[in-house]
Amino acid sequence: MEMKRKIKTIPALMLIIFIASITFTACRKEPDENAAKAVFRFELTAEDDSSQNSHSVEIIGDNIMEFTVKTNEKTVGAALLERGLIEGTVGEYGLLVTVVADISADYTKDKAYWAFYIDDEYATVGADSTEIEEGVVYAFIYTKD
């Protein structure tokens, strides 16, 4: 009798784990179409040519800004911090971006944050760990839980 109970418990436990994993995967919030969005494209310059480091901005829509950044920095975070396009704090997990293009997100205040995307995919690493690749589009999207 006890053996039958254990056999029934294992499939039920597996089902609960499966449902929980689907739920957590589905919980990642899709960006709001009307949310502020800063899109960054990079042009790499020679390492010793810091005079070429610059950026330009184009306003695409009400809440969309597109930046072209010329840099000799290696990572997205370093290039954007150097130009003052982002601000944040460095913690245990790296750079937490709190300001993008002078727009602040404060999770402790209203559960808002800047989500980082690489080629329209939610990034699995932070901007300070992401090496710049020409042709790749990086974006920060203002998101609220």
Side-chain angles (χ1 to χ4, degrees), residues 1-104:
M1 184 119 176
E2 295 237 358
M3 184 66 152
K4 287 182 182 178
R5 180 175 284 164
K6 286 182 181 178
I7 292 173
K8 288 181 181 178
T9 305
I10 292 172
L13 183 59
M14 290 176 62
L15 179 62
I16 290 169
I17 292 170
F18 175 73
I19 291 170
S21 67
I22 289 174
T23 303
F24 288 124
T25 302
C27 285
R28 184 171 59 204
K29 209 162 166 60
E30 290 299 316
D32 180 355
E33 286 182 18
N34 298 319
K37 181 178 182 180
V39 177
F40 297 93
R41 300 175 193 281
F42 290 89
E43 294 176 17
L44 298 175
T45 61
E47 272 191 50
D48 59 349
D49 191 4
S50 62
S51 66
Q52 291 296 316
N53 290 352
S54 64
H55 70 272
S56 61
V57 62
E58 182 179 347
I59 307 301
I60 304 298
D62 289 339
N63 297 315
I64 302 173
M65 300 159 282
E66 188 168 297
F67 296 84
T68 301
V69 180
K70 292 183 182 181
T71 188
N72 57 19
E73 292 290 342
K74 302 289 185 231
T75 66
V76 172
L80 300 180
L81 281 168
E82 180 182 65
R83 276 157 206 76
L85 296 173
I86 64 172
E87 296 175 26
T89 57
V90 178
E92 182 179 349
Y93 301 106
L95 178 66
L96 172 63
V97 176
T98 55
V99 178
V100 176
D102 295 327
I103 301 171
S104 181

Side-chain angles (χ1 to χ4, degrees), residues 94-140:
L95 178 66
L96 172 63
V97 176
T98 55
V99 178
V100 176
D102 295 327
I103 301 171
S104 181
D106 185 349
Y107 193 83
T108 60
K109 181 179 174 186
D110 59 1
K111 297 194 179 212
Y113 62 96
W114 284 104
F116 181 51
Y117 286 79
I118 303 171
D119 277 341
D120 292 327
E121 295 290 325
Y122 191 82
T124 57
V125 296
D128 58 333
S129 299
T130 302
E131 289 192 20
I132 296 171
E133 294 181 48
E134 281 192 274
V136 174
V137 176
Y138 306 93
F140 285 94

